[in-house]
């Protein structure tokens, strides 16, 4: 409850006390001279309520119940309804806003709460844990969402869902490129989505370097993310592709030394770092190293595609673009913003190419 004016803390407390007492809840009240009241109400079944009254005009009611059954939820709703009715009855003229938030389910078998890249907490409609394993490198989860299908989550980071073809298409050039007969290098992409889509376009050869060196990601995806990867992960070699379970840095260095060149390099490794201190963050140095090595194996007229970050992280995106001016060769770039369904946020993708010398 948000008041138009300062709240009469004592009046609010006295107005709401009978409601909690009717529930047989034991009351404890803390009073700070200039900071209002904190009243706690505890029920014998372990449920409790916190009533926080701020003198500047904010009243917070937090109810926690250990009963996850429908009856328990109905009891909570009934209690909140009584609180809201009493507050409106006594303070209606002074109440500016009433906001009721849905219940947060803590400690459940299924974790439905995952953060966006810009730090907002999103509740997904996850109803099943499909796969949950710890590899030597990371935690690998595949959770089922009613809206988005199976979602791959690596160490708490939402990577890709079966609904997210828009992501795959964007990081491949949004349908504007002709991959027929081309040499393609994919960095990362352990979910197999990019590989699956490019193989359909009849390239000469696609080399995917699963940089996380994590066979368990591939094993999980080929079993539970088949709407995304099809059958391309069933074998590490196909008619026009190969998958290398290696660190991409040595592979890139080896290709550069051998003079091997690609028409397209697609970087599906970690997103742009959020850090705003690139000189102090080794992640930025790693990112620049990947960029430099990728440019060395990219043909003169080739293109480099990569994900950026969510559109709200403007400082991080600006810093990324600054890194492009620090590469060993001059480059140019363009970017587009795409809505990736399971991310629940707009995502920025980059196309980078070597700058041609003026004639």
């Amino acid at each position: 409850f948000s008041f138009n004016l300062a709240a009469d803390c004592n009046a609010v407390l006295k107005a709401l006390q009978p409601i909690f007492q009717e529930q047989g809840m034991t009351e404890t009240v803390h009073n700070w001279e200039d900071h209002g009241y904190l009243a706690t109400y505890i029920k014998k079944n372990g449920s409790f309520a916190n009533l926080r009254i701020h003198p500047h005009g904010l009243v917070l009611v937090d109810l926690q119940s250990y009963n996850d059954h429908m009856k328990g939820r109905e009891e909570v709703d009934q209690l909140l309804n009584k609180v809201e009715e009493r507050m409106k009855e006594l303070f209606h003229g002074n109440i500016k806003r009433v906001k009721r938030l849905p219940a947060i389910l803590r400690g459940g078998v299924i974790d439905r709460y995952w953060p966006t890249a810009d730090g907002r907490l999103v509740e997904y409609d996850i109803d099943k844990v499909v796969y949950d394993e710890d590899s030597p490198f990371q935690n690998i989860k595949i959770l089922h969402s009613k809206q988005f299908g199976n979602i791959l989550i690596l160490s708490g980071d939402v990577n890709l869902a079966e609904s997210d073809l828009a992501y795959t298409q964007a990081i491949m050039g949004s349908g504007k490129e002709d991959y027929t007969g081309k040499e393609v290098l994919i960095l990362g992409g352990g979910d197999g989505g990019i590989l699956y889509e490019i193989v359909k376009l009849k390239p000469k050869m696609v080399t995917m370097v699963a940089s996380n060196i994590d066979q368990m990601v591939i094993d999980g995806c080929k079993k539970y993310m088949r709407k995304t990867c099809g059958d391309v992960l069933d074998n590490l070699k196909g008619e026009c592709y190969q998958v290398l379970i290696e660190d991409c840095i040595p592979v890139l260095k080896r290709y550069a030394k051998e003079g091997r060149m690609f028409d397209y390099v697609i970087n599906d490794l970690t997103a742009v770092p959020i850090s705003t201190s690139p000189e102090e963050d080794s992640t930025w140095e790693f990112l620049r190293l990947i960029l430099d090595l990728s440019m060395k194996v990219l043909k003169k007229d080739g293109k480099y595609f990569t994900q950026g970050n969510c559109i709200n992280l403007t400082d991080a995106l600006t810093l990324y673009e600054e890194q492009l001016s620090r590469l060993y060769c001059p480059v140019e770039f363009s970017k587009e913003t795409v809505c990736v369904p399971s991310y629940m946020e707009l995502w920025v993708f980059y196309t980078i190419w070597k700058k041609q010398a003026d004639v």
Side-chain angles (χ1 to χ4, degrees), residues 4 36 241 288 315:
N4 290 313
Y241 71 89
R288 275 199 308 273
D315 289 345

Side-chain angles (χ1 to χ4, degrees), residues 177 262-264 298-303 353-354 356:
E177 305 299 321
F262 296 88
D263 297 286
Y264 296 100
L298 188 67
K299 292 181 180 179
K300 184 178 179 180
D301 58 349
K303 291 183 180 179
W353 61 92
K354 295 177 180 177
Q356 304 300 315

Side-chain angles (χ1 to χ4, degrees), residues 172-189:
M172 290 171 53
S174 295
K176 302 172 185 175
E177 305 299 321
D178 182 6
Y179 284 90
T180 306
K182 300 298 175 62
E183 292 271 1
V184 183
L185 177 63
I186 302 173
L187 307 177

Side-chain angles (χ1 to χ4, degrees), residues 152-209:
L152 174 65
I153 300 175
L154 299 179
S155 295
D157 180 35
V158 175
N159 271 235
L160 195 75
E162 291 176 320
S163 62
D164 296 344
L165 182 59
Y167 176 100
T168 304
Q169 292 174 333
I171 206 170
M172 290 171 53
S174 295
K176 302 172 185 175
E177 305 299 321
D178 182 6
Y179 284 90
T180 306
K182 300 298 175 62
E183 292 271 1
V184 183
L185 177 63
I186 302 173
L187 307 177
D191 52 74
I194 299 171
L195 179 61
Y196 179 56
E197 295 301 323
I198 287 184
V199 164
K200 297 177 185 178
L201 304 178
K202 303 185 184 306
K204 180 179 179 181
M205 175 56 67
V206 183
T207 300
M208 185 174 99
V209 186

